[in-house]
Amino acid sequence: MTSPLQQKIKITGPSMVTANRTSDGVVIYRTAQQGWSASLSDAAIVRTSDEARALLNEANADDVGAIGAYIAPVELKEGGEIKPGNLREHIRSKGLTIDLLPA
Amino acid sequence: MYAYDELDRTLINERVSEFRDQVKRRLAGELTEDEFKMLRLQNGVYLQLHAYMFRVAIPYGTLSSKQLRALARVARRYDRGYGHFTTRQNIQFNWIKLAELPDALADLAEVGIHAMQTSGNNMRNVTSDQWAGVAPGEVEDPRIWSEILRQHTTLHPEFSFLPRKFKIAITASEHDRAAIKVHDIGLRLHRNADGETGFEVLVGGGLGRTPFIAKTIKPFVPGRDILSYVEAILRVYNQYGRRDNIYKARIKILVHELGIEKFAREVDEEWRQMDGGGLTLDHSVIEEVRSRFSYPAYEKLPHMPDELKQAAHDPLFERWRKNSVAPHKVQGYSIVTLSLKPVGGPPGDATADQMDAVADLADRYSFGEIRVGHEQNLALPHVAKRDLPQLWKALDRIGLATPNVNLVTDIIACPGLDYCSLANARSIPIAQELTRRFANHDTAEMIGRLHINISGCINACGHHHVGHIGILGVEKNGEEFYQITIGGRADENAQMGALIGPAVPYAEVADVIEDIVEAYLALRDRPEELFVDTVKRLGVEPFKERVYATR
Ligand code: HEM
Ligand code: SF4
């Protein structure tokens, strides 16, 4: 996956803005209420590049609360459920894909 | 062990309180992330996918039991109960909270551990042979020189703002366990015809996007001149090294562009003009550093104690001994490698409980000393042979007696996409699957020495270029793919592996590796011919035919 840090703002499908919380690094998502949530289901969904840029700018303005904000794809399921749009975001939202102790 | 002096302790403590203040200001919003980033990187703090990552230096891979317990405490108190030993004699914690980092640093400072020189464009932790000071036939303990370089370069202005990070490794043995040929500067300690000790100096090695094997620029630099000579290299690098393009900034690129002869001439010219530059080492300075390394009071012990003769009847013990125990320079003692590569486990990880247990075992059996090697395993450097059977049982109980050192399951792997924000693909689950496929020790022994190295992106933290089999994660249309190379090696005959065919998807990697190993077993001309030697003799083609014919 090309590092999202280098990406141009041009989205091709539903997207969200994600970052890490400054105090503890926890993965967070930008909400529609101009805040952050640790749950992907609370993420504000954007559908155009302009919306995405606006959401990202808003997120970046909160330099105290969050670091490294970027836009990432999501998949929208029937009934409005939000799923991560790629493996990287899947791992960020669900955690490691490995067992920590030997099987 | 090395005893830090007052200066070091003061420096470390000052750094902790400085960082505590910086974190406080960051959390209060007085420092922006842009301003803070460089400060945190100078203290080993990165941002990964899920959290901050904290990288702590283990200079030349030597730890006391007290220090290892402190690392265990950090893992337990501030992290999730484990740490990851890396290929550059560092340990990483993956889940540290920024707000708690100053406390973690302070706890480590109490035992003389810090995170300086673990990130940023400076002189990184000077690494060395994990068997330094105990390997038979060693010229002298290379850590004395690592320490001299460490003292000179730590926070030295000229080394703190280099065009790019800078890595030095030192070995003093015939067999290079420190991978000096893939470092910016590699130093090989040896004796010249007059019996004087000095260094063969190699420059311009490195992995990453543009891999190079280091080349010799001077066959012999006397020990007393090594600081001035390294300084001359750094000056030439600082003068010509590219700061405009991060991908071209490493010294390897400069050496490649200037050519090794011209580079060597420039360095020699600079060195001549410096005329020592006040850096010529007095005998007394070298001896002062030497005197700070203490060696255990070894006993006079028999070469073959009764305990060992008896234990030899146990085939499981014998298997472990043959695999994990190496000769020591002192009769009656051994060097014991502790495999951090259990079947199904993430390579290089150790739990806090394991660290504590190893610290206790080090106190009981290894004069309180532990070593960390670039293969991501630990070692107990001074174990009396009579204690081997007891030690083995104790290690087995904590899952650290897997008899797979240097075998196919002794895999080097970077954190990959499970942790790392730069990753293209996962590394750890690939390693885990491979250890399951080759879990049978008889099979692994039959295959013999075989190093598999895995990186999750081109930065090559997992040394994939120099793995006998190298696996590199790439991305194709959002999917994880892996390029596979064979024939690389990291020792004194270091060389880059060659690509065996098109990249394969995640699900097929383990199958392909099995096929490569099968091909080797069919192609080797006798059981003693190592995998790398078969590749060297036959080239990549016969492997490619066998592996890709059916795909
Ligand atoms: C957040 C985690 C990490 C980040 C961001 C990171 C970043 C990088 C980057 C950017 C490079 C390429 C440098 C260059 O070519 O100029 C590199 C190389 C390297 N890193 Fe890492 N790394 C990480 C974790 C690790 C780990 C876990 C290890 C050890 C297992 C490691 C050891 C190395 C080594 C040995 C090299 C290649 C040697 C060379 O410098 O040529 N790094 N890393
Ligand atoms: S090789 Fe790439 S994926 Fe692996 S740790 Fe280094 S930067 Fe991360």
Side-chain angles (χ1 to χ4, degrees), chain B residues 414-417 420-425 427 454-462:
Chain B
C414 79
L417 190 57
C420 177
S421 51
L422 303 177
N424 291 316
S427 308
I454 312 176
S455 306
C457 83
I458 194 64
N459 286 323
C461 302

Side-chain angles (χ1 to χ4, degrees), chain B residues 376-398:
Chain B
Q376 304 180 287
N377 288 321
L378 302 178
L380 296 179
H382 325 278
V383 180
K385 285 182 170 177
R386 59 155 190 251
D387 294 334
L388 286 170
Q390 288 303 322
L391 174 62
W392 170 65
K393 281 187 194 138
L395 287 174
D396 194 40
R397 278 195 291 275
I398 54 172

Side-chain angles (χ1 to χ4, degrees), chain B residues 48 55 86-87 92 165 167 207 250 415 459 461 463:
Chain B
Q48 289 188 298
R55 186 183 286 162
T86 80
T87 51
Q92 298 186 168
K165 59 170 115 168
K167 302 178 179 176
L207 301 173
R250 294 290 288 266
N459 286 323
C461 302
H463 289 197

Side-chain angles (χ1 to χ4, degrees), chain B residues 182-203:
Chain B
V182 294
H183 280 75
D184 297 281
I185 295 181
L187 299 175
R188 187 179 70 84
L189 201 58
H190 64 117
R191 262 194 201 99
N192 68 5
D194 301 332
E196 202 186 350
T197 40
F199 295 92
E200 176 186 349
V201 179
L202 296 90
V203 180

Side-chain angles (χ1 to χ4, degrees), chain B residues 72-218:
Chain B
R73 207 158 48 239
V74 166
R76 199 175 280 124
R77 195 179 288 171
Y78 308 105
D79 207 276
R80 295 196 179 169
Y82 66 98
H84 175 75
F85 289 96
T86 80
T87 51
R88 289 210 81 257
Q89 297 180 322
N90 295 315
I91 182 170
Q92 298 186 168
F93 298 102
N94 297 298
W95 306 96
I96 292 244
K97 298 182 173 69
L98 184 60
E100 292 182 358
L101 259 159
D103 291 338
L105 267 174
D107 286 5
L108 293 177
E110 276 176 27
V111 294
I113 301 186
H114 57 80
M116 282 177 258
Q117 298 186 305
T118 62
S119 56
N121 294 334
N122 56 24
M123 183 69 80
R124 297 294 185 84
N125 189 21
V126 177
T127 55
S128 190
D129 184 351
Q130 67 269 30
W131 294 358
V134 290
E138 185 177 78
V139 179
E140 67 177 21
D141 192 334
R143 292 173 303 167
I144 295 160
W145 301 97
S146 312
E147 176 55 25
I148 289 171
L149 279 161
R150 186 193 71 82
Q151 289 185 3
H152 180 65
T153 58
T154 301
L155 306 185
H156 183 305
E158 186 149 5
F159 302 137
S160 300
F161 301 96
L162 294 168
R164 197 78 180 88
K165 59 170 115 168
F166 203 89
K167 302 178 179 176
I168 300 184
I170 307 184
T171 180
S173 286
E174 283 293 312
H175 180 59
D176 173 15
R177 279 172 294 266
I180 66 168
K181 289 193 173 177
V182 294
H183 280 75
D184 297 281
I185 295 181
L187 299 175
R188 187 179 70 84
L189 201 58
H190 64 117
R191 262 194 201 99
N192 68 5
D194 301 332
E196 202 186 350
T197 40
F199 295 92
E200 176 186 349
V201 179
L202 296 90
V203 180
L207 301 173
R209 189 175 301 267
T210 339
F212 284 107
I213 299 293
K215 297 194 183 74
T216 301
I217 58 166
K218 214 164 181 64

Side-chain angles (χ1 to χ4, degrees), chain A residues 53-67:
Chain A
R53 193 174 303 116
L55 191 66
L56 182 63
N57 286 342
E58 184 197 301
N60 278 332
D62 180 14
D63 183 66
V64 185
I67 71 174

